[in-house]
Amino acid sequence: MTPTTRKKILLGTLAAIIAMQFFQPALNIHSHPTHTAIEKHFDVPADVQQILKTSCYDCHSNNTQYPWYFKLQPLGWWLDHHIEEGKEHLNFDEFATYTADKQKHKLEEVVETIQRHEMPLKSYTLVHRDAQLNSTQQQQLIKWAQQLQQRL
Ligand code: HEC
């Protein structure tokens, strides 16, 4: 590779990275109160709510607490994709709109994904250390989801 080619590639890459910054994803922030939120309709103890907020709500609610790197593309796009996909599978702020069957099924999945250490996503807890669940928190969430599921 000649020095000119190398310079062209470098400049091209830089231009592409700069261009990416003009495409900022829309924010998942809803200021209006959510009447369909799980805690408005079902029993969610304060400690469980706190764990859900810290470890799950960035991708499974209508309000994401955005990290600084969200403004840096393509990192923001990547997180945005997780939020879109996460909400599509399970949105705690819209839990009351689900049918009883779906609610039960989602709570079952909460138990399963935690038992299998699939949630919260590893790529997320790598940066968001406080979102990582310790075994006490895992047990708290599992017990809550199982009990709520039985009551539905
Ligand atoms: C960084 C984003 C992110 C965080 C944080 C996160 N999730 Fe997820 N979650 C996803 C994505 C994306 C999917 C869908 C794809 C998949 O299953 O990997 C998903 C899927 C799920 C599903 C499966 C639903 C289905 O229909 O299969 C459950 C249940 C779930 N998450 C629960 C949780 C719980 C509980 C927490 C917190 C302890 C959590 N998630 C934290 C992104 C996230």
Side-chain angles (χ1 to χ4, degrees):
M1 214 188 281
T2 66
T4 340
T5 318
R6 211 176 298 144
K7 204 169 158 196
K8 271 187 190 154
I9 293 175
L10 187 70
L11 282 177
T13 311
L14 261 178
I17 291 175
I18 290 169
M20 280 181 197
Q21 309 315 312
F22 289 99
F23 298 90
Q24 299 287 335
L27 296 181
N28 175 39
I29 294 178
H30 298 73
S31 49
H32 54 82
T34 312
H35 300 295
T36 51
I38 189 163
E39 73 273 14
K40 299 263 167 69
H41 298 261
F42 302 100
D43 184 29
V44 185
D47 51 349
V48 170
Q49 180 76 17
Q50 192 52 50
I51 303 173
L52 291 176
K53 276 213 168 110
T54 310
S55 301
C56 320
Y57 273 29
D58 275 355
C59 302
H60 293 290
S61 84
N62 286 336
N63 283 294
T64 301
Q65 303 254 325
Y66 284 98
W68 59 269
Y69 65 81
F70 188 71
K71 290 216 168 9
L72 276 186
Q73 306 319 329
L75 291 178
W77 296 341
W78 183 56
L79 179 63
D80 190 56
H81 174 71
H82 280 155
I83 296 169
E84 287 302 317
E85 216 190 320
K87 271 174 68 177
E88 210 176 285
H89 280 79
L90 170 64
N91 187 340
F92 285 109
D93 278 340
E94 283 164 20
F95 195 80
T97 66
Y98 298 166
T99 62
D101 270 355
K102 188 170 172 182
Q103 290 173 344
K104 278 190 186 185
H105 183 59
K106 290 297 159 190
L107 289 170
E108 244 169 61
E109 285 178 344
V110 166
V111 173
E112 283 168 14
T113 52
I114 292 173
Q115 278 172 343
R116 292 196 215 117
H117 304 283
E118 288 169 358
M119 289 291 149
L121 293 179
K122 289 242 160 45
S123 57
Y124 174 81
T125 49
L126 221 58
V127 184
H128 301 250
R129 305 304 297 181
D130 59 328
Q132 197 152 21
L133 300 174
N134 61 34
S135 53
T136 314
Q137 292 170 319
Q138 284 171 345
Q139 287 319 309
Q140 269 175 295
L141 280 189
I142 290 172
K143 200 170 137 212
W144 164 73
Q146 283 173 337
Q147 283 177 347
L148 184 54
Q149 196 221 355
Q150 277 158 17
R151 262 184 272 132
L152 284 174

